[in-house]
């Protein structure tokens, strides 16, 4: 009986030790599970776990253990992914400074505008007096240069336009009568040609190509026909015609004239005449650049 009692006590002691071992094992798994889940109860404000490390990983932080558990379950590898630390992290690059806008546009004024005006005049793009104010005439001169250089026609002296000025982009014309007015339909430029070279390039707007109601022939197409012509009738004033008012017109092809207008866009927009600004028309009259009988070439 005594031997049987001692055996039962040994079995009871072994069972108690087994239960205690199971409890300790379950406690370590639960700790690892909480760290993997990243629950708020196991982390401080810095993201470092406050849970004590397990007995099998005493030299590794809880965050490293979390990375190791995730890596082992997904790849089967026993190597742990190193945690990021302040010394190894890279800060986001600071945004680069925005380049200063050097463009000049209508409404601007000052020495840079005056310098632009003088450069345009020197190159052959007429824009009136260099007064340091970016007004309508400067915009028209910039438009003329943009047309010559094949740039966007917006009248704003942006980087590409300023580069064209700096590069010395001049108006050019082909062969023809040494003294003439030449109208380039593609570029929408009117050239005053003297001795075979372009003295001035002036922005113009010719026939739009659209259909309109004519008081003479019913429906008509707004075109400026190409060819070689001569200046005929002129009118020194604002002539009211059936399709609008023409400022100081100089006719060279029937009812088609070079005349001043309030609107001279960078594209074809007229009924067939060649529009220029009113001040440009005053220049043509004051210097007699289109005398009666002189040659006008439309290309």
């Amino acid at each position: 009986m005594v031997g049987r009692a001692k055996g039962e006590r040994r079995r009871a002691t072994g069972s108690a030790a087994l239960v205690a071992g199971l409890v300790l094992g379950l406690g370590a798994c639960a700790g690892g599970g909480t760290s993997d889940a990243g629950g708020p109860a196991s982390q401080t404000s810095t993201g470092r776990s406050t849970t004590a490390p397990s007995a099998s990983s005493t030299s590794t932080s809880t965050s490293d253990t979390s990375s190791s558990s995730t890596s082992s379950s997904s790849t089967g590898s026993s190597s742990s992914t190193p945690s990021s630390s302040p010394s190894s992290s890279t800060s986001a690059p600071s945004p680069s400074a925005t380049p200063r806008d050097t463009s000049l546009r209508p409404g601007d004024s000052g020495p840079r505008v005056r310098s632009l005006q003088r450069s345009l005049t020197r190159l052959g793009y007429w824009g009136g007096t260099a007064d340091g104010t970016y007004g309508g005439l400067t915009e028209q001169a910039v438009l003329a240069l943009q047309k010559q250089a094949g740039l966007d026609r917006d009248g704003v002296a942006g980087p590409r336009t300023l580069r064209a000025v700096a590069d010395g982009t001049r108006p050019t014309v082909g062969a023809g009568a040494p003294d003439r007015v030449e109208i380039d339909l593609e570029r929408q430029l009117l050239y005053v040609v003297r001795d075979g070279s372009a003295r001035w390039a002036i922005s113009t707007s010719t026939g739009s190509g659209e259909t309109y109601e004519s008081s003479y022939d019913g429906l008509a197409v707004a075109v400026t026909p190409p060819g070689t012509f001569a200046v005929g009738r002129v009118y020194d004033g604002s002539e009211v015609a059936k399709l609008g008012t023409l400022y100081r017109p100089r006719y060279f092809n029937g009812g088609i004239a070079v005349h001043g207008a309030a609107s001279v866009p960078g594209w074809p927009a007229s009924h067939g005449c060649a529009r220029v600004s009113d001040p440009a028309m005053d220049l043509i009259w004051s210097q007699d650049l289109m005398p009666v009988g002189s040659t006008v070439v439309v290309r």
Side-chain angles (χ1 to χ4, degrees):
M1 293 296 289
V2 174
R4 181 177 181 182
K6 290 182 178 179
E8 290 175 353
R9 283 197 300 270
R10 285 196 298 270
R11 285 194 295 272
T13 300
S15 298
L18 178 59
V19 171
L22 290 173
V23 171
L24 288 174
L26 288 173
C29 290
T34 304
S35 177
D36 289 345
S42 65
Q43 296 181 349
T44 66
S45 60
T46 62
R48 189 175 298 277
S49 172
T50 58
T51 305
S54 64
S56 62
S57 181
T58 57
S59 64
T60 311
S61 67
T62 305
S63 59
D64 288 343
T65 303
S66 172
S67 300
S68 176
S69 301
T70 305
S71 175
S72 297
S73 62
S74 60
T75 66
S77 172
S78 61
S79 61
S80 60
T81 303
S83 62
S84 60
S85 63
S87 61
S88 62
S89 61
T90 56
S91 59
S94 59
S96 59
T98 302
R100 185 170 66 91
D101 184 9
T102 59
S103 301
L104 294 171
R105 50 180 47 83
D108 289 346
S109 61
R112 290 186 64 231
V113 174
R114 183 176 288 106
S115 177
L116 171 66
Q117 292 169 329
R118 288 172 176 169
S119 294
L120 290 168
T121 299
R122 185 177 64 255
L123 291 173
Y125 304 97
W126 186 81
T129 303
D131 57 3
T133 299
Y134 203 128
L137 290 185
T138 303
E139 183 178 6
Q140 286 293 308
V142 169
L143 266 175
L145 178 136
Q146 289 173 334
K147 291 175 176 182
Q148 181 69 48
L151 302 176
D152 291 340
R153 304 173 181 182
D154 58 6
V156 174
R160 296 181 66 192
T161 299
L162 293 174
R163 172 53 59 188
V165 173
D167 289 344
T169 304
R170 294 180 177 273
T172 57
V173 294
D179 295 341
R180 66 186 188 273
V181 163
E182 182 172 316
I183 299 172
D184 189 318
L185 297 176
E186 181 178 355
R187 287 177 172 160
Q188 291 290 282
L189 283 173
L190 182 149
Y191 299 101
V192 177
V193 182
R194 291 295 179 268
D195 296 326
S197 299
R199 174 184 295 183
W200 295 117
I202 299 172
S203 181
T204 188
S205 178
T206 60
S208 65
E210 298 178 357
T211 302
Y212 68 96
E213 185 71 31
S214 169
S215 58
Y216 302 102
D217 305 314
L219 290 179
V221 180
V223 295
T224 305
T228 299
F229 310 94
V231 176
R233 187 173 70 88
V234 300
Y235 185 88
D236 190 5
S238 295
E239 187 171 27
V240 179
K242 293 183 181 296
L243 296 175
T245 300
L246 287 67
Y247 179 69
R248 305 185 82 176
R250 291 194 173 230
Y251 296 91
F252 61 87
N253 181 10
I256 297 177
V258 173
H259 68 84
S263 174
V264 187
W267 55 88
S270 78
H271 290 98
C273 288
R275 300 180 188 174
V276 296
S277 68
D278 288 351
M281 203 65 214
D282 289 339
L283 171 75
I284 290 173
W285 274 82
S286 65
Q287 298 188 10
D288 199 20
L289 298 178
M290 293 182 67
V292 173
S294 63
T295 302
V296 177
V297 177
V298 180
R299 300 186 189 276

